[in-house]
Amino acid sequence: MSDTSSVKALNSTVEIACPRGNIKIGPDAPLTFFLGPCALESREHALFMSNAILEIADKLGAQVVYKTSFDKANRTSMSGYRGLELDEALDIFAEVKDKTGLPMLTDVHLPDQCEKVAKVVDVLQIPAFLCRQTDMLQAAAETGAVVKVKKGQFLAPWDMKNVVNKLISMGAKDVLLTERGSSFGYNALVTDMRGLPEMAAMAPVVIDATHSVQQPGGKGGSTGGQREYVPVIAKAAVAVGVSGVFLETHQDPDNAPSDGPNMVILSELEKLMSELIQINALVKSF
């Protein structure tokens, strides 16, 4: 259903400079993991989580981008935890990068955040609810950073060509598209695996397996989730042939300030990553 004739100006493989060795993301590159807690909680927690993830990455020989959000701007209610101030967050991000050597990803929510964030962070993530906001896309594209766009829950996969065309017209070259489920009735999402190759014809695709199992507003004043199905979504998507897997993780997700019900327990992350790496190797062997 997608018209890919207008999206060939994008790089088919996205490369992120990294002191540990540049990361390449694309259909012919190793599987890349985007890992970290949903929300930036503190300097101490960010260093703990990033070092724990680095240890797993080194053990498995995995490509990893560390992710966390300095602001959760679309919380269900006003009582939800938002995060830290931007300047404090950027200082923490810089320390995490310096001490671990991992590249960084974070969400941006306002156009005027993009330039400032891109001075520290390698990948700017456009949240699903903002994926069609032209000013956001333009501000992100103009930084020269990698732009990772989450498909809106309200969009068909082939409609992301319009988002990609906006980015191309603004000079973007390094773009990643992310599947995170589509609205399915009330308080539910469904992930249509047919959409992954549709979007892969436009740009490298990442599966967001943790947000795909969200139950938006499912707990009344907050979002619910079905953590037990994260491996199902992740394994199915890797079997289809995605370029990356986005997994939010926490050492104690049931007491995390944001998105706890759908985050992977840190102690279970290594096993899941190992299985996904094996599936990816098998798929690419055909």
Side-chain angles (χ1 to χ4, degrees):
M1 294 185 184
S2 57
D3 174 14
T4 61
S5 61
S6 57
V7 299
K8 294 179 181 178
L10 290 177
N11 293 327
S12 59
T13 299
V14 170
E15 187 166 354
I16 303 173
C18 177
R20 294 164 45 81
N22 289 4
I23 288 177
K24 293 183 178 181
I25 307 170
D28 298 320
L31 188 66
T32 299
F33 293 90
F34 299 81
L35 307 171
C38 177
L40 178 62
E41 299 178 26
S42 67
R43 186 181 304 271
E44 292 73 23
H45 188 253
L47 291 170
F48 166 76
M49 289 297 303
S50 58
N51 278 293
I53 287 168
L54 176 62
E55 183 177 342
I56 295 171
D58 284 344
K59 184 175 181 179
L60 298 178
Q63 289 195 151
V64 169
V65 177
Y66 185 73
K67 71 77 47 188
T68 192
S69 301
F70 67 88
D71 183 17
K72 302 302 296 182
N74 63 344
R75 300 309 305 273
T76 303
S77 68
M78 288 297 290
S79 62
Y81 175 78
R82 286 284 299 265
L84 303 181
E85 294 294 331
L86 178 56
D87 288 341
E88 180 182 2
L90 291 178
D91 184 60
I92 295 171
F93 291 164
E95 184 174 355
V96 168
K97 286 186 65 174
D98 180 62
K99 290 186 174 179
T100 66
L102 292 172
M104 292 282 304
L105 173 149
T106 197
D107 304 90
V108 284
H109 299 278
L110 298 169
D112 60 9
Q113 293 174 343
C114 293
E115 183 178 3
K116 193 170 188 177
V117 172
K119 291 178 180 178
V120 177
V121 172
D122 305 276
V123 183
L124 302 183
Q125 181 166 270
I126 308 298
F129 289 129
L130 301 178
C131 70
R132 300 203 323 181
Q133 296 297 104
T134 301
D135 291 345
M136 279 295 307
L137 296 171
Q138 181 165 359
E142 288 177 349
T143 68
V146 177
V147 181
K148 180 175 176 289
V149 187
K150 288 195 173 186
K151 179 186 72 65
Q153 301 92 319
F154 45 85
L155 284 180
W158 40 89
D159 289 335
M160 286 298 286
K161 70 178 181 295
N162 299 312
V163 174
V164 170
N165 285 336
K166 283 185 182 182
L167 287 165
I168 289 173
S169 71
M170 296 160 182
K173 295 291 185 183
D174 291 315
V175 173
L176 302 171
L177 298 180
T178 300
E179 173 60 66
R180 52 95 70 241
S182 299
S183 295
F184 186 70
Y186 297 123
N187 305 129
L189 299 170
V190 66
T191 303
D192 183 355
M193 295 296 159
R194 296 173 299 177
L196 301 176
E198 286 281 350
M199 291 195 294
M202 309 173 202
V205 171
V206 177
I207 181 68
D208 180 350
T210 41
H211 287 96
S212 290
V213 301
Q214 272 188 339
Q215 295 171 317
K219 298 176 71 176
S222 62
T223 290
Q226 295 176 296
R227 183 186 303 137
E228 65 271 23
Y229 292 121
V230 170
V232 175
I233 298 294
K235 291 175 183 179
V238 172
V240 171
V242 293
S243 298
V245 180
F246 181 104
L247 296 168
E248 291 189 335
T249 183
H250 195 281
Q251 84 282 4
D252 184 16
D254 290 334
N255 290 298
S258 175
D259 269 350
N262 41 271
M263 280 196 282
V264 176
I265 301 171
L266 181 61
S267 62
E268 299 176 2
L269 179 64
E270 181 181 332
K271 179 177 182 293
L272 176 56
M273 288 175 62
S274 177
E275 292 170 349
L276 295 174
I277 290 169
Q278 292 177 65
I279 293 170
N280 182 65
L282 178 61
V283 168
K284 290 183 175 177
S285 69
F286 294 124

